[in-house]
Amino acid sequence: MTLDTQRIRADFPILSETVHGHPVTFLDSAASSQKPLAVLQAMDDVYRHRYANVHRGVYLFSDEATQCYDAARAKIAAFFGARETEEIVFTRNATESLNLLAYSYARALLQPGDEIVLTELEHHANFVPWLEAARTHGLVLKFAPLTKDGRIDEVQFASLLGPRTRLVSFAHVSNVLGTITDPRPLIERAHAVGAKVILDGCQSAPHMPVDVQALGCDFYVCSGHKMLGPTGIGVLYGRRELLEAMPPFMTGGDMISHVGFDGARWADIPLKFEAGTPAFVEAIGLGAAIDYLQALGMHNVRAHERALTAYALERLSTVRGLRLLGPLDPDVHGGVASFTLERIHPHDLASLLDEQGIAVRAGHHCAQPLHARLGITATARASFYVYTLPEEIDRLIDGIEYAQRVLKR
Ligand SMILES: Cc1ncc(COP(=O)(O)O)c(C=O)c1O
């Protein structure tokens, strides 16, 4: 293992909890990760020692809070390789980032009949905002199909692009299939027809190095809570000229340069998109999470998860009646393992695992169209992160076999 997982675990107080009398085996980090002390302490420090609203006061607390908030934005810009700090907009989560784009880019700047290309593996967050924009604004949605092993079919993807394609949006890593897509060839093809590309980085930002300029995407979105940060803070990266061309998503305080009785002028980016008091303590917490991840090294994080995924896929494939979803090659499979079990519903499995202190996700994982495409309604999903041990995968396998015995199937 490339990370010292035992040492890392000591930084996560929640991992020493017990659940139903068992040590907790937390295998649901793809839904939301646990938080290290460094993040809890960074937020505690603001509340105890320098809490005041940002961008408003001329007194010390406000000034210090503002400096910490601005520093967090700069850290995030550097982490994702953005050209400028102003290209990072804070939102509540990836869902809000995508809604912002659906309103301020698609609805505001596209014309009826313009086309948006998505894929069949998208999370609802990268599905429903576009369905709604299409419905209300006459935009046309197209969905790139998948190959048998759950990858985006590049040939079919390319065949959907045309002169009316204005936007392409897809997940860098699938939250169900685990598929890691190399976005560069898809981005190049999209750019060749003049389309802009949004990358849903919810499952890549926490788990691998991401450089938005090297990838060449126009927008990148992710959620802080999946990458060791707190809830309530998300990121939208956008190229300056695109963000500048977009109207605000929400209006009010903090996002204006001047307000009169007859109208208002907007602040420059990123504040134009950050109406109202921002979640600045959460942004500072996310900054601390990024410091933590950078100290581990994102290449090491990915190598650790690749090894765990390889082990999990190998062990799960030996379980009777278990069908794995997504690519079997750990080089293109992020740290999630989704599966079905013959004659056992994922919810029954998850409940029996919970009795043993093992937390996995069961259901459609906010990807109903994908499940429909696969001809199933639900899967069980185990997901891994920097604190996951191979022994926890062993416990999962034992737990599945226990469930099979209890249910005598
Ligand atoms: C690929 C992907 N996109 C988007 C989201 C939405 O994230 P959030 O609920 O934090 O907005 C998720 C969350 O699971 C996800 O996995």
Side-chain angles (χ1 to χ4, degrees):
M1 290 285 153
T2 43
L3 297 180
D4 184 348
T5 318
Q6 288 296 0
R7 238 197 60 213
I8 290 172
R9 288 175 73 83
D11 294 334
F12 290 78
I14 204 168
L15 297 180
S16 43
E17 294 289 317
T18 54
V19 171
H20 305 309
H22 299 274
V24 63
T25 301
F26 186 75
L27 297 176
D28 195 21
S29 292
S32 200
S33 74
Q34 299 300 348
K35 319 300 171 201
L37 276 170
V39 169
L40 308 180
Q41 283 163 351
M43 296 174 71
D44 188 68
D45 174 72
V46 179
Y47 282 125
R48 282 176 197 267
H49 302 297
R50 58 200 91 250
Y51 181 82
N53 210 337
V54 290
H55 297 154
R56 292 183 193 183
V58 283
Y59 52 90
L60 186 69
F61 284 176
S62 176
D63 200 35
E64 284 188 359
T66 304
Q67 279 181 31
C68 293
Y69 181 48
D70 293 347
R73 196 191 305 273
K75 254 180 227 176
I76 290 158
F79 184 70
F80 290 123
R83 205 176 336 122
E84 299 173 64
T85 303
E86 291 76 21
E87 293 178 320
I88 299 296
V89 176
F90 283 123
T91 60
R92 274 190 311 134
N93 47 38
T95 301
E96 186 173 295
S97 301
L98 288 160
N99 273 278
L100 190 161
L101 291 170
Y103 278 89
S104 296
Y105 195 90
R107 280 175 168 85
L109 304 180
L110 302 189
Q111 303 302 321
D114 282 347
E115 296 171 3
I116 301 177
V117 174
L118 309 170
T119 83
E120 290 182 349
L121 57 66
E122 301 312 318
H123 186 282
H124 294 166
N126 195 25
F127 227 115
V128 185
W130 308 118
L131 287 178
E132 277 303 284
R135 187 178 65 78
T136 59
H137 279 66
L139 304 170
V140 178
L141 299 187
K142 296 187 170 180
F143 300 95
L146 308 179
T147 60
K148 278 209 181 69
D149 67 345
R151 304 184 201 209
I152 299 169
D153 186 324
E154 282 189 28
V155 177
Q156 303 256 33
F157 169 84
S159 73
L160 298 179
L161 302 172
R164 291 300 300 263
T165 314
R166 297 284 180 265
L167 260 183
V168 168
S169 186
F170 60 93
H172 194 180
V173 178
S174 160
N175 65 313
V176 179
L177 303 174
T179 315
I180 301 173
T181 298
D182 176 2
R184 284 166 301 189
L186 306 188
I187 292 172
E188 272 169 30
R189 282 183 182 276
H191 283 168
V193 298
K196 303 291 180 244
V197 181
I198 303 166
L199 208 51
D200 174 355
C202 268
Q203 301 295 343
S204 59
H207 304 290
M208 59 187 64
V210 169
D211 182 324
V212 289
Q213 286 192 73
L215 294 176
C217 56
D218 300 290
F219 299 102
Y220 182 89
V221 305
C222 65
S223 287
H225 68 93
K226 292 182 197 285
M227 50 193 303
L228 308 182
T231 53
I233 188 79
V235 172
L236 163 65
Y237 155 81
R239 288 202 289 112
R240 172 182 276 280
E241 58 275 26
L242 298 174
L243 293 177
E244 282 180 342
M246 289 159 52
F249 175 39
M250 287 192 283
T251 53
D254 256 21
M255 52 75 65
I256 46 80
S257 66
H258 175 81
V259 182
F261 283 104
D262 52 353
R265 286 195 301 275
W266 314 138
D268 290 335
I269 64 163
L271 298 188
K272 178 172 79 171
F273 295 107
E274 296 180 0
T277 298
F280 60 93
V281 181
E282 286 75 8
I284 292 165
L286 178 57
I290 282 182
D291 287 341
Y292 189 92
L293 286 170
Q294 273 181 325
L296 296 179
M298 291 310 290
H299 285 286
N300 297 332
V301 171
R302 170 63 194 140
H304 167 77
E305 288 183 29
R306 189 205 167 281
L308 282 172
T309 305
Y311 183 60
L313 294 179
E314 184 196 316
R315 291 238 41 208
L316 286 165
S317 64
T318 64
V319 175
R320 185 172 42 86
L322 187 148
R323 181 181 152 225
L324 278 166
L325 301 179
L328 294 178
D329 175 356
D331 282 342
V332 290
H333 197 127
V336 307
S338 294
F339 55 91
T340 55
L341 268 184
E342 242 170 47
R343 292 189 293 274
I344 297 183
H345 193 278
H347 283 137
D348 294 335
L349 173 69
S351 300
L352 284 165
L353 290 174
D354 175 54
E355 283 177 15
Q356 301 158 73
I358 304 168
V360 298
R361 183 51 63 118
H364 53 63
H365 320 297
C366 297
Q368 275 187 318
L370 170 64
H371 281 74
R373 203 35 113 228
L374 298 172
I376 48 183
T377 51
T379 48
R381 181 186 73 186
S383 53
F384 322 123
Y385 207 9
V386 292
Y387 37 70
T388 308
L389 295 162
E391 296 89 285
E392 295 185 295
I393 292 167
D394 296 337
R395 261 182 247 157
L396 170 68
I397 305 288
D398 293 345
I400 296 171
E401 288 172 350
Y402 164 78
Q404 286 178 318
R405 282 195 303 279
V406 169
L407 299 168
K408 293 205 173 51
R409 287 164 184 170

